[in-house]
Amino acid sequence: QVQLVESGGGLVQPGGSLRLSCAASGSIFSINGVGWYRQAPGKQRDLVAGITSGGSTNYADSVKGRFTISRDNAKNTVYLQMNSLKPEDTAVYYCNALYQKISWGQGTQVTVSS
């Protein structure tokens, strides 16, 4: 089975930037689409960005214009570039399939300080 592993989270000041990575153990193109999700404690896990195998992208309104999802075919990796970060972006970020059921990983913590 394909396994997705998140990395790149950390502590950043408001207005700063981070780039998250989602590395696939197998071919990432075995998955029809990949999305980045986030979840704060006590809150729903929401999709913030997605990319299909054909390269189409979509974003939640809350991150549109600030976040960019992309893929690197050679590295079998999907990225989430996060710019102009806000305290409201603080959450655990996960990557997973958009259209297939795959187990959730540990995620990576993103903390945007006050």
Side-chain angles (χ1 to χ4, degrees):
Q1 294 182 346
V2 173
Q3 183 179 13
L4 303 175
V5 179
E6 305 93 342
S7 63
L11 175 64
V12 65
Q13 294 182 344
S17 298
L18 284 173
R19 188 177 73 162
L20 306 183
S21 298
C22 175
S25 61
S27 175
I28 202 164
F29 297 104
S30 297
I31 305 174
N32 292 336
V34 176
W36 282 98
Y37 304 76
R38 68 185 182 188
Q39 185 174 30
K43 297 184 179 179
Q44 179 180 336
R45 179 161 49 206
D46 294 324
L47 178 67
V48 298
I51 186 167
T52 69
S53 59
S56 298
T57 60
N58 198 21
Y59 301 91
D61 289 340
S62 59
V63 307
K64 194 171 298 182
R66 300 188 297 120
F67 290 11
T68 303
I69 188 170
S70 63
R71 68 171 181 259
D72 186 323
N73 297 340
K75 295 182 178 180
N76 214 26
T77 301
V78 172
Y79 300 98
L80 184 68
Q81 178 67 48
M82 306 186 296
N83 298 326
S84 302
L85 283 163
K86 305 175 180 179
E88 305 94 284
D89 297 318
T90 296
V92 177
Y93 283 71
Y94 304 85
C95 63
N96 212 326
L98 291 173
Y99 314 116
Q100 301 160 268
K101 185 176 181 180
I102 297 178
S103 297
W104 294 97
Q106 186 174 349
T108 185
Q109 176 72 50
V110 172
T111 302
V112 185
S113 68
S114 60

